[in-house]
mmCIF file of all heavy atoms in Angstrom:
data_model
loop_
_atom_site.group_PDB
_atom_site.id
_atom_site.type_symbol
_atom_site.label_atom_id
_atom_site.label_comp_id
_atom_site.label_asym_id
_atom_site.label_seq_id
_atom_site.Cartn_x
_atom_site.Cartn_y
_atom_site.Cartn_z
ATOM 1 N N MET A 428 103.935 109.548 115.931
ATOM 2 C CA MET A 428 102.748 110.085 116.709
ATOM 3 C C MET A 428 102.273 108.936 117.672
ATOM 4 O O MET A 428 101.437 109.228 118.533
ATOM 5 C CB MET A 428 101.643 110.347 115.810
ATOM 6 C CG MET A 428 102.005 111.778 115.010
ATOM 7 S SD MET A 428 100.598 112.232 113.990
ATOM 8 C CE MET A 428 100.644 111.192 112.665
ATOM 9 N N GLY A 429 102.723 107.703 117.462
ATOM 10 C CA GLY A 429 102.264 106.565 118.265
ATOM 11 C C GLY A 429 100.968 106.105 117.712
ATOM 12 O O GLY A 429 100.550 106.303 116.569
ATOM 13 N N MET A 430 100.107 105.521 118.683
ATOM 14 C CA MET A 430 98.816 104.999 118.315
ATOM 15 C C MET A 430 97.810 106.156 118.103
ATOM 16 O O MET A 430 97.480 106.834 119.045
ATOM 17 C CB MET A 430 98.171 104.158 119.364
ATOM 18 C CG MET A 430 98.716 102.706 119.156
ATOM 19 S SD MET A 430 97.821 102.000 117.781
ATOM 20 C CE MET A 430 98.558 100.351 117.855
ATOM 21 N N VAL A 431 97.298 106.424 116.875
ATOM 22 C CA VAL A 431 96.368 107.452 116.665
ATOM 23 C C VAL A 431 95.001 106.838 116.608
ATOM 24 O O VAL A 431 94.804 105.841 115.875
ATOM 25 C CB VAL A 431 96.628 108.218 115.364
ATOM 26 C CG1 VAL A 431 95.749 109.400 115.131
ATOM 27 C CG2 VAL A 431 98.115 108.642 115.299
ATOM 28 N N PRO A 432 94.102 107.356 117.455
ATOM 29 C CA PRO A 432 92.710 106.656 117.536
ATOM 30 C C PRO A 432 91.961 107.011 116.275
ATOM 31 O O PRO A 432 92.039 108.032 115.718
ATOM 32 C CB PRO A 432 92.020 107.281 118.756
ATOM 33 C CG PRO A 432 92.822 108.419 119.179
ATOM 34 C CD PRO A 432 94.142 108.333 118.550
ATOM 35 N N PRO A 433 91.019 106.076 115.829
ATOM 36 C CA PRO A 433 90.249 106.345 114.636
ATOM 37 C C PRO A 433 89.448 107.620 114.673
ATOM 38 O O PRO A 433 89.186 108.284 113.669
ATOM 39 C CB PRO A 433 89.383 105.084 114.576
ATOM 40 C CG PRO A 433 89.373 104.402 115.835
ATOM 41 C CD PRO A 433 90.669 104.836 116.500
ATOM 42 N N VAL A 434 88.935 108.066 115.847
ATOM 43 C CA VAL A 434 88.282 109.336 115.862
ATOM 44 C C VAL A 434 89.001 110.511 115.477
ATOM 45 O O VAL A 434 88.480 111.450 115.199
ATOM 46 C CB VAL A 434 87.487 109.561 117.240
ATOM 47 C CG1 VAL A 434 86.415 108.527 117.558
ATOM 48 C CG2 VAL A 434 88.530 109.531 118.400
ATOM 49 N N LYS A 435 90.380 110.344 115.603
ATOM 50 C CA LYS A 435 91.209 111.476 115.237
ATOM 51 C C LYS A 435 91.518 111.452 113.647
ATOM 52 O O LYS A 435 91.703 112.589 113.144
ATOM 53 C CB LYS A 435 92.560 111.309 116.017
ATOM 54 C CG LYS A 435 92.356 111.936 117.385
ATOM 55 C CD LYS A 435 93.565 112.892 117.694
ATOM 56 C CE LYS A 435 93.479 113.586 119.024
ATOM 57 N NZ LYS A 435 94.618 113.443 119.958
ATOM 58 N N PHE A 436 91.707 110.288 113.105
ATOM 59 C CA PHE A 436 92.148 110.329 111.659
ATOM 60 C C PHE A 436 91.106 110.003 110.748
ATOM 61 O O PHE A 436 91.270 110.389 109.666
ATOM 62 C CB PHE A 436 93.467 109.461 111.633
ATOM 63 C CG PHE A 436 93.255 107.889 111.744
ATOM 64 C CD1 PHE A 436 92.915 107.256 110.408
ATOM 65 C CD2 PHE A 436 93.407 107.183 112.841
ATOM 66 C CE1 PHE A 436 92.746 105.754 110.574
ATOM 67 C CE2 PHE A 436 93.193 105.844 112.914
ATOM 68 C CZ PHE A 436 92.860 105.228 111.760
ATOM 69 N N ILE A 437 90.002 109.290 111.087
ATOM 70 C CA ILE A 437 88.988 108.999 110.128
ATOM 71 C C ILE A 437 88.282 110.282 109.626
ATOM 72 O O ILE A 437 88.158 110.418 108.381
ATOM 73 C CB ILE A 437 87.877 108.083 110.814
ATOM 74 C CG1 ILE A 437 88.510 106.696 110.996
ATOM 75 C CG2 ILE A 437 86.623 107.875 109.713
ATOM 76 C CD1 ILE A 437 88.843 105.809 109.759
ATOM 77 N N PRO A 438 88.056 111.279 110.453
ATOM 78 C CA PRO A 438 87.557 112.623 109.921
ATOM 79 C C PRO A 438 88.408 113.162 108.901
ATOM 80 O O PRO A 438 87.983 113.734 107.864
ATOM 81 C CB PRO A 438 87.407 113.393 111.116
ATOM 82 C CG PRO A 438 87.207 112.511 112.285
ATOM 83 C CD PRO A 438 88.032 111.281 111.918
ATOM 84 N N ILE A 439 89.747 113.231 109.223
ATOM 85 C CA ILE A 439 90.870 113.725 108.167
ATOM 86 C C ILE A 439 90.750 112.904 106.890
ATOM 87 O O ILE A 439 90.894 113.462 105.884
ATOM 88 C CB ILE A 439 92.131 113.755 108.820
ATOM 89 C CG1 ILE A 439 92.244 114.794 110.121
ATOM 90 C CG2 ILE A 439 93.243 114.271 107.934
ATOM 91 C CD1 ILE A 439 93.450 114.918 110.874
ATOM 92 N N ALA A 440 90.747 111.654 107.072
ATOM 93 C CA ALA A 440 90.687 110.730 105.926
ATOM 94 C C ALA A 440 89.471 111.083 104.982
ATOM 95 O O ALA A 440 89.518 111.046 103.831
ATOM 96 C CB ALA A 440 90.679 109.245 106.415
ATOM 97 N N GLU A 441 88.338 111.298 105.721
ATOM 98 C CA GLU A 441 87.142 111.780 105.057
ATOM 99 C C GLU A 441 87.336 113.046 104.304
ATOM 100 O O GLU A 441 87.015 113.063 103.160
ATOM 101 C CB GLU A 441 85.911 111.926 106.144
ATOM 102 C CG GLU A 441 85.309 110.653 106.460
ATOM 103 C CD GLU A 441 83.969 110.539 105.891
ATOM 104 O OE1 GLU A 441 83.161 111.493 105.880
ATOM 105 O OE2 GLU A 441 83.705 109.465 105.410
ATOM 106 N N GLU A 442 87.790 114.049 104.961
ATOM 107 C CA GLU A 442 87.883 115.365 104.349
ATOM 108 C C GLU A 442 88.826 115.386 103.192
ATOM 109 O O GLU A 442 88.694 116.190 102.218
ATOM 110 C CB GLU A 442 88.321 116.461 105.376
ATOM 111 C CG GLU A 442 87.230 116.799 106.294
ATOM 112 C CD GLU A 442 87.723 117.503 107.460
ATOM 113 O OE1 GLU A 442 88.671 118.409 107.442
ATOM 114 O OE2 GLU A 442 87.272 117.384 108.545
ATOM 115 N N THR A 443 89.866 114.622 103.239
ATOM 116 C CA THR A 443 90.858 114.551 102.155
ATOM 117 C C THR A 443 90.642 113.622 101.056
ATOM 118 O O THR A 443 91.263 113.719 100.033
ATOM 119 C CB THR A 443 92.278 114.295 102.794
ATOM 120 O OG1 THR A 443 92.182 112.997 103.503
ATOM 121 C CG2 THR A 443 92.742 115.276 103.776
ATOM 122 N N GLY A 444 89.645 112.775 101.266
ATOM 123 C CA GLY A 444 89.281 111.853 100.332
ATOM 124 C C GLY A 444 90.100 110.546 100.439
ATOM 125 O O GLY A 444 89.911 109.539 99.731
ATOM 126 N N LEU A 445 91.040 110.556 101.340
ATOM 127 C CA LEU A 445 91.925 109.377 101.596
ATOM 128 C C LEU A 445 91.113 108.198 102.010
ATOM 129 O O LEU A 445 91.545 107.011 101.981
ATOM 130 C CB LEU A 445 93.033 109.699 102.651
ATOM 131 C CG LEU A 445 94.137 110.508 102.220
ATOM 132 C CD1 LEU A 445 95.005 110.959 103.380
ATOM 133 C CD2 LEU A 445 95.013 109.639 101.188
ATOM 134 N N ILE A 446 89.915 108.559 102.575
ATOM 135 C CA ILE A 446 89.075 107.332 103.109
ATOM 136 C C ILE A 446 88.727 106.314 102.059
ATOM 137 O O ILE A 446 88.428 105.211 102.356
ATOM 138 C CB ILE A 446 87.774 107.974 103.703
ATOM 139 C CG1 ILE A 446 87.058 106.975 104.624
ATOM 140 C CG2 ILE A 446 86.744 108.490 102.708
ATOM 141 C CD1 ILE A 446 87.693 106.463 105.806
ATOM 142 N N ILE A 447 88.739 106.754 100.802
ATOM 143 C CA ILE A 447 88.295 105.807 99.742
ATOM 144 C C ILE A 447 89.311 104.739 99.706
ATOM 145 O O ILE A 447 89.094 103.519 99.697
ATOM 146 C CB ILE A 447 88.232 106.581 98.281
ATOM 147 C CG1 ILE A 447 87.227 107.617 98.410
ATOM 148 C CG2 ILE A 447 87.910 105.545 97.177
ATOM 149 C CD1 ILE A 447 85.756 107.281 98.542
ATOM 150 N N SER A 448 90.665 105.066 99.503
ATOM 151 C CA SER A 448 91.686 104.037 99.422
ATOM 152 C C SER A 448 91.885 103.322 100.803
ATOM 153 O O SER A 448 92.043 102.129 100.920
ATOM 154 C CB SER A 448 93.002 104.583 98.985
ATOM 155 O OG SER A 448 93.362 105.794 99.608
ATOM 156 N N ILE A 449 91.750 104.146 102.027
ATOM 157 C CA ILE A 449 91.891 103.478 103.275
ATOM 158 C C ILE A 449 90.726 102.474 103.377
ATOM 159 O O ILE A 449 90.874 101.341 103.877
ATOM 160 C CB ILE A 449 91.861 104.528 104.362
ATOM 161 C CG1 ILE A 449 93.144 105.290 104.306
ATOM 162 C CG2 ILE A 449 91.658 103.839 105.811
ATOM 163 C CD1 ILE A 449 93.357 106.439 105.384
ATOM 164 N N GLY A 450 89.413 102.888 103.011
ATOM 165 C CA GLY A 450 88.262 102.028 103.294
ATOM 166 C C GLY A 450 88.429 100.803 102.373
ATOM 167 O O GLY A 450 88.028 99.786 102.744
ATOM 168 N N GLU A 451 89.082 100.954 101.147
ATOM 169 C CA GLU A 451 89.267 99.648 100.412
ATOM 170 C C GLU A 451 90.318 98.763 100.984
ATOM 171 O O GLU A 451 90.003 97.587 100.938
ATOM 172 C CB GLU A 451 89.745 100.113 98.844
ATOM 173 C CG GLU A 451 88.530 100.551 98.094
ATOM 174 C CD GLU A 451 89.007 101.223 96.663
ATOM 175 O OE1 GLU A 451 90.175 101.042 96.297
ATOM 176 O OE2 GLU A 451 88.216 101.796 96.050
ATOM 177 N N TRP A 452 91.260 99.358 101.548
ATOM 178 C CA TRP A 452 92.263 98.497 102.287
ATOM 179 C C TRP A 452 91.482 97.757 103.474
ATOM 180 O O TRP A 452 91.801 96.675 103.682
ATOM 181 C CB TRP A 452 93.358 99.292 102.887
ATOM 182 C CG TRP A 452 94.341 98.535 103.560
ATOM 183 C CD1 TRP A 452 95.338 97.801 103.033
ATOM 184 C CD2 TRP A 452 94.377 98.247 105.014
ATOM 185 N NE1 TRP A 452 96.005 97.054 104.130
ATOM 186 C CE2 TRP A 452 95.341 97.307 105.314
ATOM 187 C CE3 TRP A 452 93.492 98.726 106.054
ATOM 188 C CZ2 TRP A 452 95.655 96.946 106.573
ATOM 189 C CZ3 TRP A 452 93.876 98.302 107.413
ATOM 190 C CH2 TRP A 452 94.906 97.359 107.629
ATOM 191 N N ILE A 453 90.674 98.461 104.204
ATOM 192 C CA ILE A 453 90.048 97.942 105.313
ATOM 193 C C ILE A 453 89.172 96.696 104.838
ATOM 194 O O ILE A 453 89.229 95.594 105.506
ATOM 195 C CB ILE A 453 89.160 98.921 106.060
ATOM 196 C CG1 ILE A 453 89.996 100.009 106.827
ATOM 197 C CG2 ILE A 453 88.157 98.265 106.984
ATOM 198 C CD1 ILE A 453 89.359 101.156 107.283
ATOM 199 N N ILE A 454 88.539 96.858 103.832
ATOM 200 C CA ILE A 454 87.586 95.850 103.272
ATOM 201 C C ILE A 454 88.430 94.627 102.806
ATOM 202 O O ILE A 454 88.220 93.376 103.089
ATOM 203 C CB ILE A 454 86.717 96.255 102.093
ATOM 204 C CG1 ILE A 454 85.573 97.229 102.736
ATOM 205 C CG2 ILE A 454 85.866 95.212 101.490
ATOM 206 C CD1 ILE A 454 84.915 98.086 101.674
ATOM 207 N N ASP A 455 89.535 94.995 102.169
ATOM 208 C CA ASP A 455 90.446 94.008 101.628
ATOM 209 C C ASP A 455 91.045 93.099 102.769
ATOM 210 O O ASP A 455 91.004 91.794 102.722
ATOM 211 C CB ASP A 455 91.557 94.610 100.809
ATOM 212 C CG ASP A 455 92.494 93.677 100.036
ATOM 213 O OD1 ASP A 455 93.263 92.992 100.700
ATOM 214 O OD2 ASP A 455 92.306 93.640 98.892
ATOM 215 N N GLU A 456 91.452 93.805 103.848
ATOM 216 C CA GLU A 456 92.097 93.103 104.974
ATOM 217 C C GLU A 456 91.080 92.322 105.626
ATOM 218 O O GLU A 456 91.358 91.185 106.059
ATOM 219 C CB GLU A 456 92.592 94.152 105.876
ATOM 220 C CG GLU A 456 93.335 93.694 107.167
ATOM 221 C CD GLU A 456 94.511 92.676 106.770
ATOM 222 O OE1 GLU A 456 95.029 92.582 105.739
ATOM 223 O OE2 GLU A 456 94.950 92.145 107.880
ATOM 224 N N ALA A 457 89.869 92.784 105.863
ATOM 225 C CA ALA A 457 88.738 92.030 106.362
ATOM 226 C C ALA A 457 88.399 90.706 105.683
ATOM 227 O O ALA A 457 88.332 89.632 106.298
ATOM 228 C CB ALA A 457 87.546 92.866 106.700
ATOM 229 N N CYS A 458 88.455 90.910 104.288
ATOM 230 C CA CYS A 458 88.177 89.702 103.560
ATOM 231 C C CYS A 458 89.256 88.593 103.594
ATOM 232 O O CYS A 458 89.012 87.430 103.863
ATOM 233 C CB CYS A 458 87.961 90.120 102.035
ATOM 234 S SG CYS A 458 86.458 90.923 101.710
ATOM 235 N N ARG A 459 90.536 89.112 103.540
ATOM 236 C CA ARG A 459 91.655 88.264 103.738
ATOM 237 C C ARG A 459 91.477 87.515 105.035
ATOM 238 O O ARG A 459 91.631 86.312 105.183
ATOM 239 C CB ARG A 459 92.909 89.011 103.539
ATOM 240 C CG ARG A 459 94.171 88.210 103.491
ATOM 241 C CD ARG A 459 95.365 88.974 103.794
ATOM 242 N NE ARG A 459 95.456 89.574 105.172
ATOM 243 C CZ ARG A 459 95.674 88.872 106.242
ATOM 244 N NH1 ARG A 459 95.904 87.511 106.126
ATOM 245 N NH2 ARG A 459 95.700 89.456 107.394
ATOM 246 N N GLN A 460 91.189 88.186 106.126
ATOM 247 C CA GLN A 460 91.213 87.715 107.445
ATOM 248 C C GLN A 460 90.025 86.618 107.634
ATOM 249 O O GLN A 460 90.263 85.553 108.178
ATOM 250 C CB GLN A 460 91.076 88.805 108.394
ATOM 251 C CG GLN A 460 91.116 88.310 109.925
ATOM 252 C CD GLN A 460 92.465 87.658 110.289
ATOM 253 O OE1 GLN A 460 93.520 88.399 110.108
ATOM 254 N NE2 GLN A 460 92.394 86.461 110.703
ATOM 255 N N ILE A 461 88.900 86.936 107.128
ATOM 256 C CA ILE A 461 87.800 85.967 107.531
ATOM 257 C C ILE A 461 87.994 84.632 106.613
ATOM 258 O O ILE A 461 87.728 83.624 107.014
ATOM 259 C CB ILE A 461 86.396 86.564 107.242
ATOM 260 C CG1 ILE A 461 85.354 85.578 107.876
ATOM 261 C CG2 ILE A 461 86.078 86.835 105.745
ATOM 262 C CD1 ILE A 461 84.207 86.184 108.543
ATOM 263 N N VAL A 462 88.490 84.818 105.447
ATOM 264 C CA VAL A 462 88.811 83.572 104.509
ATOM 265 C C VAL A 462 89.838 82.817 105.366
ATOM 266 O O VAL A 462 89.795 81.555 105.391
ATOM 267 C CB VAL A 462 89.283 83.978 103.171
ATOM 268 C CG1 VAL A 462 89.736 82.861 102.461
ATOM 269 C CG2 VAL A 462 87.925 84.596 102.351
ATOM 270 N N HIS A 463 90.771 83.457 105.910
ATOM 271 C CA HIS A 463 91.924 82.872 106.553
ATOM 272 C C HIS A 463 91.362 82.109 107.829
ATOM 273 O O HIS A 463 91.725 80.887 108.091
ATOM 274 C CB HIS A 463 92.993 83.893 107.042
ATOM 275 C CG HIS A 463 94.049 83.221 107.729
ATOM 276 N ND1 HIS A 463 95.136 82.382 107.304
ATOM 277 C CD2 HIS A 463 94.473 83.360 109.035
ATOM 278 C CE1 HIS A 463 95.883 81.968 108.128
ATOM 279 N NE2 HIS A 463 95.613 82.506 109.299
#
Side-chain angles (χ1 to χ4, degrees):
M428 293 183 283
M430 273 290 182
V431 186
V434 288
K435 280 227 170 126
F436 72 88
I437 293 289
I439 297 177
E441 278 256 311
E442 286 165 39
T443 52
L445 283 168
I446 193 67
I447 303 293
S448 47
I449 290 177
E451 279 171 15
W452 178 84
I453 290 169
I454 295 164
D455 192 287
E456 179 60 11
C458 289
R459 190 194 63 73
Q460 184 62 58
I461 194 148
V462 169
H463 179 73

